[in-house]
Amino acid sequence: PAAAGGGDDARDLPLDLSTTQRWSEGRHRVWDIIEELVSMNVFPNPVNPFAVDHAALRRQPPDERFLSTGAMVSFLRDLLADAGESAVARAG
């Protein structure tokens, strides 16, 4: 089937990422893929691909700022929770 917004020749071409190639090993999480994508596409490479752009947050309307902040806190909570025993098990 044709991709949304594309013609008949539009194809699904997955990215060739080292994290997705080794996904079945169970050692990678979604944020590892995000880190690899950011590092591949941002120049110069950021020291911390998850650094918060506080200026961008301040420019957002209050409702959007609160939602963005809540999403970041939720993500960090999940990241912290995964850094425990399951991370040790993945490291093998």
Side-chain angles (χ1 to χ4, degrees):
D8 290 336
D9 59 348
R11 298 183 182 144
D12 182 16
L13 299 172
L15 294 173
D16 189 23
L17 303 173
S18 63
T19 50
T20 57
Q21 290 174 357
R22 296 189 317 262
W23 183 261
S24 63
E25 296 172 8
R27 292 183 167 202
H28 295 286
R29 296 291 183 253
V30 173
W31 43 84
D32 296 316
I33 295 171
I34 294 168
E35 179 181 10
E36 187 173 1
L37 287 170
V38 169
S39 296
M40 288 173 55
N41 293 292
V42 175
F43 183 81
N45 284 343
V47 173
N48 178 359
F50 296 105
V52 176
D53 184 348
H54 293 278
L57 281 175
R58 283 190 291 273
R59 288 191 302 267
Q60 290 181 337
D63 290 347
E64 289 181 31
R65 187 177 328 138
F66 298 145
L67 287 173
S68 296
T69 303
M72 284 189 296
V73 168
S74 176
F75 170 76
L76 292 171
R77 182 195 65 213
D78 293 346
L79 188 63
L80 180 63
D82 190 63
E85 292 178 20
S86 61
V88 172
R90 284 194 308 278

